Amino acid sequence: GSFLLESRATGALGSSANYVPADAPIYVELRLQPSADQDAALRELLGRFPAIDGVDLDRPLYEQLVEMIDEQLAAEAEIGVSWADDVAPWFDGRVAFGVTDLPLEAFAAPMDPMAEPPIPGMVAVIGVTDAAAARSSIERIVAEQPDMESTTSEHLGVTIHALAGEQGAYAVTEDALLFGPSADDVTAALDTAADPDARLADNATVASMAGELPDDWLAFATFDFTEI
C-alpha cells in the first residue's frame, strides 16, 4: 500500500530510499522544508482549524519551526545546539524512517513480562547536502556532551559511531546522516545502499509509484506486510 500528500507535476524519492531494503515493512519519507507554494497551502489549510498557539499563519511554517526548535534547545543550556547554526546549513529538508525487519518469532512467542521487548530493525535517515559540515557539527556536539561516549568502526569507508550503553549508533555518508538502534542497523543500511538490487529506491513497484509523484510532494509512505 502507499500514502502520499501532493500537489501537481512529477518527481521522485530522495536518496534516503537507497538505505532501506526493498522488502522493508514500513518506509516513510517527509519533506520538513516545503516549497513556498506548499507552505502557503498548509497555512491556508491550518487556517480552517482553531488557532495553534505560537503559530503565525502569515509567516512561513518552516521558519517558525526552526525558531521553536532553537528556543527549546536554548532552554537546555548544557546542550549548546542550534538548529539554525548546527543543522540547517547541511540539512537537505528531508527525513525518512524505515522499519527494516520485524522479529515476528520473538513477538509470537510467550514473553517474559520482565524481559526487554525485542527491537525491530530500523533506520532513520536525514538528508545531507554538505557531509563535511554535518560531520563537523556532530563532532562538536558530541565532544561537548560528557555522557555521549562512543566507539567507532569502519564499514565500506564510512565511520560508524556506536553510543555507549546501547543508546544507538550513527554515521554520516556523503548524502545522509543515519541513525539506528545499533551499529548493526547502520551497517545493514550501508550494505543496502551499496547493492542496487536490494534498495527500496530500485523496487519496481515503489519506483512506479514514485514516478507518479509530483515535484512538489510533502510525504510518501509504503507498507509491505507480506511477511506478516
Side-chain angles (χ1 to χ4, degrees), residues 69-123:
I69 292 174
D70 278 351
E71 286 174 2
Q72 293 177 353
L73 291 173
E76 301 288 340
E78 71 276 8
I79 296 179
V81 178
S82 163
W83 183 280
D85 296 334
D86 299 314
V87 178
W90 51 262
F91 176 47
D92 78 352
R94 301 189 189 203
V95 297
F97 173 77
V99 174
T100 57
D101 179 62
L102 292 173
L104 298 180
E105 293 182 2
F107 283 130
M111 292 187 62
D112 180 350
M114 301 301 293
E116 288 288 334
I119 300 176
M122 62 184 72
V123 62

mmCIF file of all heavy atoms in Angstrom, residues 69-123:
data_model
loop_
_atom_site.group_PDB
_atom_site.id
_atom_site.type_symbol
_atom_site.label_atom_id
_atom_site.label_comp_id
_atom_site.label_asym_id
_atom_site.label_seq_id
_atom_site.Cartn_x
_atom_site.Cartn_y
_atom_site.Cartn_z
ATOM 1 N N ILE A 69 12.293 25.182 17.582
ATOM 2 C CA ILE A 69 13.301 24.188 17.966
ATOM 3 C C ILE A 69 14.447 24.863 18.698
ATOM 4 O O ILE A 69 14.920 24.389 19.748
ATOM 5 C CB ILE A 69 13.825 23.441 16.726
ATOM 6 C CG1 ILE A 69 12.727 22.556 16.135
ATOM 7 C CG2 ILE A 69 15.055 22.605 17.078
ATOM 8 C CD1 ILE A 69 13.104 21.900 14.826
ATOM 9 N N ASP A 70 14.913 26.006 18.187
ATOM 10 C CA ASP A 70 16.041 26.694 18.812
ATOM 11 C C ASP A 70 15.674 27.266 20.176
ATOM 12 O O ASP A 70 16.512 27.319 21.081
ATOM 13 C CB ASP A 70 16.580 27.781 17.892
ATOM 14 C CG ASP A 70 17.522 27.230 16.840
ATOM 15 O OD1 ASP A 70 17.874 26.039 16.950
ATOM 16 O OD2 ASP A 70 17.903 27.966 15.918
ATOM 17 N N GLU A 71 14.434 27.687 20.338
ATOM 18 C CA GLU A 71 14.001 28.168 21.655
ATOM 19 C C GLU A 71 14.043 27.030 22.674
ATOM 20 O O GLU A 71 14.467 27.211 23.813
ATOM 21 C CB GLU A 71 12.581 28.746 21.561
ATOM 22 C CG GLU A 71 12.514 30.102 20.864
ATOM 23 C CD GLU A 71 11.086 30.570 20.668
ATOM 24 O OE1 GLU A 71 10.158 29.842 21.119
ATOM 25 O OE2 GLU A 71 10.889 31.637 20.073
ATOM 26 N N GLN A 72 13.597 25.846 22.252
ATOM 27 C CA GLN A 72 13.618 24.693 23.154
ATOM 28 C C GLN A 72 15.048 24.269 23.463
ATOM 29 O O GLN A 72 15.376 23.931 24.603
ATOM 30 C CB GLN A 72 12.837 23.539 22.534
ATOM 31 C CG GLN A 72 11.345 23.805 22.427
ATOM 32 C CD GLN A 72 10.598 22.669 21.749
ATOM 33 O OE1 GLN A 72 11.196 21.738 21.238
ATOM 34 N NE2 GLN A 72 9.279 22.747 21.739
ATOM 35 N N LEU A 73 15.907 24.289 22.421
ATOM 36 C CA LEU A 73 17.307 23.919 22.649
ATOM 37 C C LEU A 73 18.002 24.922 23.552
ATOM 38 O O LEU A 73 18.826 24.551 24.396
ATOM 39 C CB LEU A 73 18.038 23.833 21.303
ATOM 40 C CG LEU A 73 17.637 22.670 20.390
ATOM 41 C CD1 LEU A 73 18.320 22.805 19.039
ATOM 42 C CD2 LEU A 73 17.988 21.337 21.030
ATOM 43 N N ALA A 74 17.684 26.217 23.393
ATOM 44 C CA ALA A 74 18.300 27.249 24.216
ATOM 45 C C ALA A 74 17.910 27.082 25.685
ATOM 46 O O ALA A 74 18.676 27.442 26.586
ATOM 47 C CB ALA A 74 17.889 28.631 23.717
ATOM 48 N N ALA A 75 16.721 26.523 25.930
ATOM 49 C CA ALA A 75 16.275 26.305 27.305
ATOM 50 C C ALA A 75 17.117 25.232 27.985
ATOM 51 O O ALA A 75 17.201 25.179 29.216
ATOM 52 C CB ALA A 75 14.802 25.915 27.326
ATOM 53 N N GLU A 76 17.740 24.358 27.167
ATOM 54 C CA GLU A 76 18.636 23.329 27.701
ATOM 55 C C GLU A 76 20.058 23.847 27.538
ATOM 56 O O GLU A 76 20.770 23.459 26.618
ATOM 57 C CB GLU A 76 18.448 22.011 26.936
ATOM 58 C CG GLU A 76 17.046 21.452 26.993
ATOM 59 C CD GLU A 76 16.705 20.901 28.369
ATOM 60 O OE1 GLU A 76 17.654 20.607 29.136
ATOM 61 O OE2 GLU A 76 15.514 20.781 28.677
ATOM 62 N N ALA A 77 20.470 24.728 28.430
ATOM 63 C CA ALA A 77 21.733 25.457 28.272
ATOM 64 C C ALA A 77 22.939 24.544 28.104
ATOM 65 O O ALA A 77 23.894 24.878 27.398
ATOM 66 C CB ALA A 77 21.942 26.377 29.476
ATOM 67 N N GLU A 78 22.899 23.358 28.738
ATOM 68 C CA GLU A 78 24.066 22.482 28.671
ATOM 69 C C GLU A 78 24.249 21.846 27.307
ATOM 70 O O GLU A 78 25.318 21.311 27.004
ATOM 71 C CB GLU A 78 23.981 21.401 29.756
ATOM 72 C CG GLU A 78 22.922 20.338 29.531
ATOM 73 C CD GLU A 78 21.540 20.748 30.014
ATOM 74 O OE1 GLU A 78 21.388 21.939 30.385
ATOM 75 O OE2 GLU A 78 20.628 19.899 30.017
ATOM 76 N N ILE A 79 23.202 21.878 26.466
ATOM 77 C CA ILE A 79 23.305 21.238 25.161
ATOM 78 C C ILE A 79 24.137 22.073 24.195
ATOM 79 O O ILE A 79 24.993 21.574 23.493
ATOM 80 C CB ILE A 79 21.903 20.968 24.573
ATOM 81 C CG1 ILE A 79 21.157 19.961 25.453
ATOM 82 C CG2 ILE A 79 22.004 20.445 23.152
ATOM 83 C CD1 ILE A 79 19.757 19.636 24.980
ATOM 84 N N GLY A 80 23.892 23.380 24.134
ATOM 85 C CA GLY A 80 24.667 24.258 23.258
ATOM 86 C C GLY A 80 24.502 23.937 21.788
ATOM 87 O O GLY A 80 25.478 23.931 21.036
ATOM 88 N N VAL A 81 23.265 23.651 21.355
ATOM 89 C CA VAL A 81 22.999 23.294 19.963
ATOM 90 C C VAL A 81 21.964 24.249 19.397
ATOM 91 O O VAL A 81 20.991 24.597 20.060
ATOM 92 C CB VAL A 81 22.469 21.848 19.858
ATOM 93 C CG1 VAL A 81 22.156 21.502 18.404
ATOM 94 C CG2 VAL A 81 23.471 20.866 20.431
ATOM 95 N N SER A 82 22.164 24.653 18.157
ATOM 96 C CA SER A 82 21.199 25.487 17.455
ATOM 97 C C SER A 82 20.881 24.831 16.121
ATOM 98 O O SER A 82 21.790 24.503 15.351
ATOM 99 C CB SER A 82 21.773 26.893 17.216
ATOM 100 O OG SER A 82 21.031 27.579 16.223
ATOM 101 N N TRP A 83 19.577 24.636 15.848
ATOM 102 C CA TRP A 83 19.194 24.069 14.555
ATOM 103 C C TRP A 83 19.651 24.989 13.428
ATOM 104 O O TRP A 83 20.202 24.544 12.432
ATOM 105 C CB TRP A 83 17.682 23.857 14.504
ATOM 106 C CG TRP A 83 17.194 23.214 13.236
ATOM 107 C CD1 TRP A 83 16.989 23.840 12.041
ATOM 108 C CD2 TRP A 83 16.906 21.832 13.025
ATOM 109 N NE1 TRP A 83 16.571 22.930 11.089
ATOM 110 C CE2 TRP A 83 16.507 21.691 11.670
ATOM 111 C CE3 TRP A 83 16.922 20.704 13.846
ATOM 112 C CZ2 TRP A 83 16.129 20.471 11.131
ATOM 113 C CZ3 TRP A 83 16.549 19.489 13.302
ATOM 114 C CH2 TRP A 83 16.156 19.364 11.960
ATOM 115 N N ALA A 84 19.420 26.282 13.599
ATOM 116 C CA ALA A 84 19.764 27.249 12.553
ATOM 117 C C ALA A 84 21.254 27.245 12.241
ATOM 118 O O ALA A 84 21.664 27.376 11.087
ATOM 119 C CB ALA A 84 19.309 28.643 12.961
ATOM 120 N N ASP A 85 22.087 27.093 13.278
ATOM 121 C CA ASP A 85 23.540 27.171 13.088
ATOM 122 C C ASP A 85 24.199 25.815 12.856
ATOM 123 O O ASP A 85 25.165 25.710 12.100
ATOM 124 C CB ASP A 85 24.196 27.831 14.307
ATOM 125 C CG ASP A 85 23.759 29.277 14.496
ATOM 126 O OD1 ASP A 85 23.383 29.909 13.498
ATOM 127 O OD2 ASP A 85 23.776 29.748 15.646
ATOM 128 N N ASP A 86 23.675 24.776 13.519
ATOM 129 C CA ASP A 86 24.355 23.480 13.515
ATOM 130 C C ASP A 86 23.745 22.431 12.596
ATOM 131 O O ASP A 86 24.392 21.435 12.278
ATOM 132 C CB ASP A 86 24.391 22.910 14.941
ATOM 133 C CG ASP A 86 25.146 23.809 15.902
ATOM 134 O OD1 ASP A 86 26.241 24.267 15.532
ATOM 135 O OD2 ASP A 86 24.634 24.082 17.007
ATOM 136 N N VAL A 87 22.499 22.638 12.164
ATOM 137 C CA VAL A 87 21.827 21.637 11.330
ATOM 138 C C VAL A 87 21.417 22.197 9.974
ATOM 139 O O VAL A 87 21.710 21.603 8.928
ATOM 140 C CB VAL A 87 20.594 21.054 12.055
ATOM 141 C CG1 VAL A 87 19.881 20.042 11.161
ATOM 142 C CG2 VAL A 87 20.998 20.416 13.372
ATOM 143 N N ALA A 88 20.741 23.336 9.981
ATOM 144 C CA ALA A 88 20.216 23.904 8.738
ATOM 145 C C ALA A 88 21.253 24.051 7.620
ATOM 146 O O ALA A 88 20.925 23.823 6.448
ATOM 147 C CB ALA A 88 19.553 25.259 9.018
ATOM 148 N N PRO A 89 22.526 24.407 7.912
ATOM 149 C CA PRO A 89 23.490 24.586 6.823
ATOM 150 C C PRO A 89 23.769 23.331 6.001
ATOM 151 O O PRO A 89 24.203 23.432 4.853
ATOM 152 C CB PRO A 89 24.759 25.053 7.563
ATOM 153 C CG PRO A 89 24.251 25.724 8.797
ATOM 154 C CD PRO A 89 23.077 24.872 9.213
ATOM 155 N N TRP A 90 23.524 22.134 6.577
ATOM 156 C CA TRP A 90 23.799 20.907 5.818
ATOM 157 C C TRP A 90 22.571 20.010 5.625
ATOM 158 O O TRP A 90 22.640 18.987 4.953
ATOM 159 C CB TRP A 90 24.899 20.086 6.490
ATOM 160 C CG TRP A 90 24.709 19.815 7.958
ATOM 161 C CD1 TRP A 90 25.264 20.494 8.997
ATOM 162 C CD2 TRP A 90 23.901 18.770 8.556
ATOM 163 N NE1 TRP A 90 24.852 19.962 10.202
ATOM 164 C CE2 TRP A 90 24.034 18.898 9.963
ATOM 165 C CE3 TRP A 90 23.110 17.747 8.036
ATOM 166 C CZ2 TRP A 90 23.384 18.047 10.847
ATOM 167 C CZ3 TRP A 90 22.454 16.902 8.911
ATOM 168 C CH2 TRP A 90 22.598 17.060 10.309
ATOM 169 N N PHE A 91 21.428 20.402 6.171
ATOM 170 C CA PHE A 91 20.204 19.597 6.085
ATOM 171 C C PHE A 91 19.501 19.851 4.754
ATOM 172 O O PHE A 91 19.282 21.000 4.374
ATOM 173 C CB PHE A 91 19.294 19.978 7.251
ATOM 174 C CG PHE A 91 17.953 19.313 7.262
ATOM 175 C CD1 PHE A 91 17.833 17.942 7.055
ATOM 176 C CD2 PHE A 91 16.801 20.052 7.509
ATOM 177 C CE1 PHE A 91 16.590 17.321 7.088
ATOM 178 C CE2 PHE A 91 15.559 19.446 7.539
ATOM 179 C CZ PHE A 91 15.450 18.079 7.337
ATOM 180 N N ASP A 92 19.129 18.787 4.029
ATOM 181 C CA ASP A 92 18.500 18.973 2.717
ATOM 182 C C ASP A 92 16.978 19.086 2.787
ATOM 183 O O ASP A 92 16.303 19.171 1.762
ATOM 184 C CB ASP A 92 18.916 17.871 1.743
ATOM 185 C CG ASP A 92 18.173 16.547 1.962
ATOM 186 O OD1 ASP A 92 17.439 16.423 2.970
ATOM 187 O OD2 ASP A 92 18.325 15.637 1.126
ATOM 188 N N GLY A 93 16.427 19.092 4.004
ATOM 189 C CA GLY A 93 14.993 19.281 4.171
ATOM 190 C C GLY A 93 14.184 18.002 4.253
ATOM 191 O O GLY A 93 12.980 18.042 4.500
ATOM 192 N N ARG A 94 14.848 16.831 4.058
ATOM 193 C CA ARG A 94 14.112 15.566 4.059
ATOM 194 C C ARG A 94 14.537 14.670 5.224
ATOM 195 O O ARG A 94 15.715 14.591 5.565
ATOM 196 C CB ARG A 94 14.351 14.792 2.766
ATOM 197 C CG ARG A 94 13.958 15.535 1.504
ATOM 198 C CD ARG A 94 14.023 14.601 0.313
ATOM 199 N NE ARG A 94 13.855 15.293 -0.946
ATOM 200 C CZ ARG A 94 13.443 14.715 -2.066
ATOM 201 N NH1 ARG A 94 13.159 13.433 -2.069
ATOM 202 N NH2 ARG A 94 13.316 15.403 -3.171
ATOM 203 N N VAL A 95 13.563 14.001 5.801
ATOM 204 C CA VAL A 95 13.841 12.972 6.804
ATOM 205 C C VAL A 95 13.058 11.725 6.413
ATOM 206 O O VAL A 95 11.985 11.815 5.805
ATOM 207 C CB VAL A 95 13.457 13.411 8.237
ATOM 208 C CG1 VAL A 95 14.288 14.604 8.673
ATOM 209 C CG2 VAL A 95 11.975 13.731 8.323
ATOM 210 N N ALA A 96 13.607 10.564 6.742
ATOM 211 C CA ALA A 96 12.931 9.312 6.411
ATOM 212 C C ALA A 96 13.132 8.318 7.542
ATOM 213 O O ALA A 96 14.087 8.420 8.329
ATOM 214 C CB ALA A 96 13.467 8.741 5.102
ATOM 215 N N PHE A 97 12.224 7.362 7.611
ATOM 216 C CA PHE A 97 12.296 6.321 8.630
ATOM 217 C C PHE A 97 11.876 5.009 8.005
ATOM 218 O O PHE A 97 10.851 4.932 7.317
ATOM 219 C CB PHE A 97 11.367 6.662 9.799
ATOM 220 C CG PHE A 97 11.251 5.579 10.825
ATOM 221 C CD1 PHE A 97 12.263 5.371 11.758
ATOM 222 C CD2 PHE A 97 10.134 4.749 10.867
ATOM 223 C CE1 PHE A 97 12.169 4.366 12.700
ATOM 224 C CE2 PHE A 97 10.027 3.742 11.801
ATOM 225 C CZ PHE A 97 11.050 3.557 12.728
ATOM 226 N N GLY A 98 12.674 3.976 8.221
ATOM 227 C CA GLY A 98 12.341 2.669 7.688
ATOM 228 C C GLY A 98 12.415 1.597 8.762
ATOM 229 O O GLY A 98 13.386 1.546 9.511
ATOM 230 N N VAL A 99 11.363 0.795 8.864
ATOM 231 C CA VAL A 99 11.417 -0.428 9.670
ATOM 232 C C VAL A 99 11.920 -1.507 8.723
ATOM 233 O O VAL A 99 11.275 -1.800 7.715
ATOM 234 C CB VAL A 99 10.046 -0.796 10.242
ATOM 235 C CG1 VAL A 99 10.108 -2.153 10.949
ATOM 236 C CG2 VAL A 99 9.558 0.281 11.198
ATOM 237 N N THR A 100 13.088 -2.044 9.016
ATOM 238 C CA THR A 100 13.742 -2.940 8.071
ATOM 239 C C THR A 100 13.522 -4.421 8.378
ATOM 240 O O THR A 100 13.694 -5.266 7.502
ATOM 241 C CB THR A 100 15.247 -2.659 8.048
ATOM 242 O OG1 THR A 100 15.777 -2.800 9.382
ATOM 243 C CG2 THR A 100 15.520 -1.232 7.568
ATOM 244 N N ASP A 101 13.160 -4.722 9.620
ATOM 245 C CA ASP A 101 12.969 -6.134 9.982
ATOM 246 C C ASP A 101 12.086 -6.216 11.217
ATOM 247 O O ASP A 101 12.310 -5.496 12.197
ATOM 248 C CB ASP A 101 14.312 -6.805 10.265
ATOM 249 C CG ASP A 101 14.140 -8.264 10.662
ATOM 250 O OD1 ASP A 101 13.624 -9.042 9.845
ATOM 251 O OD2 ASP A 101 14.513 -8.607 11.794
ATOM 252 N N LEU A 102 11.074 -7.061 11.163
ATOM 253 C CA LEU A 102 10.208 -7.293 12.317
ATOM 254 C C LEU A 102 10.509 -8.667 12.896
ATOM 255 O O LEU A 102 10.387 -9.664 12.186
ATOM 256 C CB LEU A 102 8.738 -7.212 11.900
ATOM 257 C CG LEU A 102 8.227 -5.836 11.481
ATOM 258 C CD1 LEU A 102 6.805 -5.947 10.932
ATOM 259 C CD2 LEU A 102 8.256 -4.871 12.652
ATOM 260 N N PRO A 103 10.919 -8.750 14.169
ATOM 261 C CA PRO A 103 11.230 -10.056 14.782
ATOM 262 C C PRO A 103 9.951 -10.807 15.115
ATOM 263 O O PRO A 103 9.544 -10.921 16.268
ATOM 264 C CB PRO A 103 12.012 -9.667 16.043
ATOM 265 C CG PRO A 103 11.473 -8.312 16.397
ATOM 266 C CD PRO A 103 11.166 -7.628 15.084
ATOM 267 N N LEU A 104 9.306 -11.345 14.076
ATOM 268 C CA LEU A 104 7.983 -11.953 14.242
ATOM 269 C C LEU A 104 7.993 -13.148 15.196
ATOM 270 O O LEU A 104 7.060 -13.338 15.966
ATOM 271 C CB LEU A 104 7.446 -12.383 12.870
ATOM 272 C CG LEU A 104 7.248 -11.244 11.857
ATOM 273 C CD1 LEU A 104 6.724 -11.808 10.539
ATOM 274 C CD2 LEU A 104 6.286 -10.209 12.397
ATOM 275 N N GLU A 105 9.055 -13.963 15.136
ATOM 276 C CA GLU A 105 9.105 -15.139 16.010
ATOM 277 C C GLU A 105 9.149 -14.724 17.471
ATOM 278 O O GLU A 105 8.497 -15.333 18.324
ATOM 279 C CB GLU A 105 10.325 -15.998 15.659
ATOM 280 C CG GLU A 105 10.231 -16.645 14.279
ATOM 281 C CD GLU A 105 11.433 -17.530 13.996
ATOM 282 O OE1 GLU A 105 12.304 -17.658 14.880
ATOM 283 O OE2 GLU A 105 11.500 -18.091 12.890
ATOM 284 N N ALA A 106 9.917 -13.653 17.748
ATOM 285 C CA ALA A 106 10.017 -13.182 19.133
ATOM 286 C C ALA A 106 8.691 -12.610 19.611
ATOM 287 O O ALA A 106 8.285 -12.794 20.764
ATOM 288 C CB ALA A 106 11.120 -12.130 19.236
ATOM 289 N N PHE A 107 7.994 -11.924 18.711
ATOM 290 C CA PHE A 107 6.712 -11.349 19.083
ATOM 291 C C PHE A 107 5.656 -12.439 19.312
ATOM 292 O O PHE A 107 4.759 -12.290 20.140
ATOM 293 C CB PHE A 107 6.212 -10.391 17.995
ATOM 294 C CG PHE A 107 6.905 -9.056 18.004
ATOM 295 C CD1 PHE A 107 7.435 -8.522 16.841
ATOM 296 C CD2 PHE A 107 7.031 -8.326 19.178
ATOM 297 C CE1 PHE A 107 8.070 -7.295 16.842
ATOM 298 C CE2 PHE A 107 7.671 -7.084 19.187
ATOM 299 C CZ PHE A 107 8.188 -6.566 18.024
ATOM 300 N N ALA A 108 5.755 -13.521 18.544
ATOM 301 C CA ALA A 108 4.750 -14.577 18.620
ATOM 302 C C ALA A 108 4.943 -15.469 19.843
ATOM 303 O O ALA A 108 3.976 -16.044 20.358
ATOM 304 C CB ALA A 108 4.790 -15.422 17.352
ATOM 305 N N ALA A 109 6.179 -15.598 20.303
ATOM 306 C CA ALA A 109 6.461 -16.491 21.429
ATOM 307 C C ALA A 109 5.981 -15.862 22.742
ATOM 308 O O ALA A 109 5.901 -14.645 22.866
ATOM 309 C CB ALA A 109 7.966 -16.761 21.501
ATOM 310 N N PRO A 110 5.638 -16.711 23.725
ATOM 311 C CA PRO A 110 5.268 -16.181 25.048
ATOM 312 C C PRO A 110 6.409 -15.329 25.594
ATOM 313 O O PRO A 110 7.580 -15.713 25.534
ATOM 314 C CB PRO A 110 5.052 -17.447 25.887
ATOM 315 C CG PRO A 110 4.759 -18.516 24.887
ATOM 316 C CD PRO A 110 5.567 -18.174 23.675
ATOM 317 N N MET A 111 6.064 -14.154 26.103
ATOM 318 C CA MET A 111 7.107 -13.234 26.540
ATOM 319 C C MET A 111 7.150 -13.121 28.052
ATOM 320 O O MET A 111 6.117 -13.111 28.729
ATOM 321 C CB MET A 111 6.881 -11.840 25.924
ATOM 322 C CG MET A 111 7.084 -11.790 24.424
ATOM 323 S SD MET A 111 7.015 -10.090 23.813
ATOM 324 C CE MET A 111 8.420 -9.377 24.684
ATOM 325 N N ASP A 112 8.369 -13.063 28.569
ATOM 326 C CA ASP A 112 8.587 -12.793 29.985
ATOM 327 C C ASP A 112 8.237 -11.329 30.232
ATOM 328 O O ASP A 112 8.836 -10.436 29.618
ATOM 329 C CB ASP A 112 10.052 -13.060 30.322
ATOM 330 C CG ASP A 112 10.363 -12.801 31.786
ATOM 331 O OD1 ASP A 112 9.506 -12.231 32.492
ATOM 332 O OD2 ASP A 112 11.484 -13.146 32.210
ATOM 333 N N PRO A 113 7.261 -11.046 31.091
ATOM 334 C CA PRO A 113 6.863 -9.652 31.324
ATOM 335 C C PRO A 113 7.993 -8.785 31.848
ATOM 336 O O PRO A 113 7.935 -7.554 31.755
ATOM 337 C CB PRO A 113 5.718 -9.774 32.332
ATOM 338 C CG PRO A 113 5.893 -11.114 32.971
ATOM 339 C CD PRO A 113 6.490 -11.980 31.908
ATOM 340 N N MET A 114 9.031 -9.403 32.402
ATOM 341 C CA MET A 114 10.166 -8.652 32.940
ATOM 342 C C MET A 114 11.263 -8.453 31.897
ATOM 343 O O MET A 114 12.211 -7.708 32.133
ATOM 344 C CB MET A 114 10.757 -9.384 34.154
ATOM 345 C CG MET A 114 9.757 -9.598 35.278
ATOM 346 S SD MET A 114 9.065 -8.043 35.887
ATOM 347 C CE MET A 114 10.543 -7.320 36.625
ATOM 348 N N ALA A 115 11.137 -9.130 30.760
ATOM 349 C CA ALA A 115 12.185 -9.049 29.741
ATOM 350 C C ALA A 115 11.995 -7.821 28.862
ATOM 351 O O ALA A 115 10.882 -7.308 28.696
ATOM 352 C CB ALA A 115 12.171 -10.307 28.877
ATOM 353 N N GLU A 116 13.093 -7.354 28.296
ATOM 354 C CA GLU A 116 13.038 -6.230 27.362
ATOM 355 C C GLU A 116 12.365 -6.694 26.072
ATOM 356 O O GLU A 116 12.704 -7.750 25.537
ATOM 357 C CB GLU A 116 14.448 -5.733 27.045
ATOM 358 C CG GLU A 116 15.135 -4.991 28.187
ATOM 359 C CD GLU A 116 14.542 -3.614 28.422
ATOM 360 O OE1 GLU A 116 13.977 -3.037 27.473
ATOM 361 O OE2 GLU A 116 14.618 -3.130 29.558
ATOM 362 N N PRO A 117 11.400 -5.941 25.555
ATOM 363 C CA PRO A 117 10.753 -6.353 24.296
ATOM 364 C C PRO A 117 11.744 -6.288 23.149
ATOM 365 O O PRO A 117 12.674 -5.473 23.160
ATOM 366 C CB PRO A 117 9.634 -5.313 24.120
ATOM 367 C CG PRO A 117 10.108 -4.115 24.888
ATOM 368 C CD PRO A 117 10.865 -4.670 26.059
ATOM 369 N N PRO A 118 11.603 -7.157 22.151
ATOM 370 C CA PRO A 118 12.529 -7.145 21.016
ATOM 371 C C PRO A 118 12.405 -5.839 20.237
ATOM 372 O O PRO A 118 11.316 -5.278 20.107
ATOM 373 C CB PRO A 118 12.081 -8.343 20.176
ATOM 374 C CG PRO A 118 10.642 -8.546 20.562
ATOM 375 C CD PRO A 118 10.557 -8.173 22.006
ATOM 376 N N ILE A 119 13.536 -5.340 19.749
ATOM 377 C CA ILE A 119 13.548 -4.094 18.993
ATOM 378 C C ILE A 119 13.593 -4.422 17.503
ATOM 379 O O ILE A 119 14.502 -5.118 17.047
ATOM 380 C CB ILE A 119 14.766 -3.228 19.367
ATOM 381 C CG1 ILE A 119 14.719 -2.879 20.857
ATOM 382 C CG2 ILE A 119 14.810 -1.955 18.525
ATOM 383 C CD1 ILE A 119 15.935 -2.111 21.346
ATOM 384 N N PRO A 120 12.633 -3.938 16.730
ATOM 385 C CA PRO A 120 12.668 -4.191 15.277
ATOM 386 C C PRO A 120 13.898 -3.540 14.661
ATOM 387 O O PRO A 120 14.435 -2.551 15.178
ATOM 388 C CB PRO A 120 11.381 -3.521 14.774
ATOM 389 C CG PRO A 120 10.515 -3.374 15.985
ATOM 390 C CD PRO A 120 11.442 -3.174 17.138
ATOM 391 N N GLY A 121 14.365 -4.092 13.544
ATOM 392 C CA GLY A 121 15.423 -3.432 12.811
ATOM 393 C C GLY A 121 14.870 -2.148 12.212
ATOM 394 O O GLY A 121 13.745 -2.132 11.703
ATOM 395 N N MET A 122 15.618 -1.069 12.282
ATOM 396 C CA MET A 122 15.127 0.198 11.755
ATOM 397 C C MET A 122 16.282 1.143 11.461
ATOM 398 O O MET A 122 17.402 0.959 11.941
ATOM 399 C CB MET A 122 14.146 0.844 12.740
ATOM 400 C CG MET A 122 14.745 1.202 14.084
ATOM 401 S SD MET A 122 13.507 1.868 15.243
ATOM 402 C CE MET A 122 12.579 0.384 15.645
ATOM 403 N N VAL A 123 15.996 2.149 10.668
ATOM 404 C CA VAL A 123 16.988 3.175 10.373
ATOM 405 C C VAL A 123 16.261 4.486 10.111
ATOM 406 O O VAL A 123 15.202 4.511 9.477
ATOM 407 C CB VAL A 123 17.863 2.789 9.155
ATOM 408 C CG1 VAL A 123 17.037 2.650 7.887
ATOM 409 C CG2 VAL A 123 18.989 3.798 8.956
#
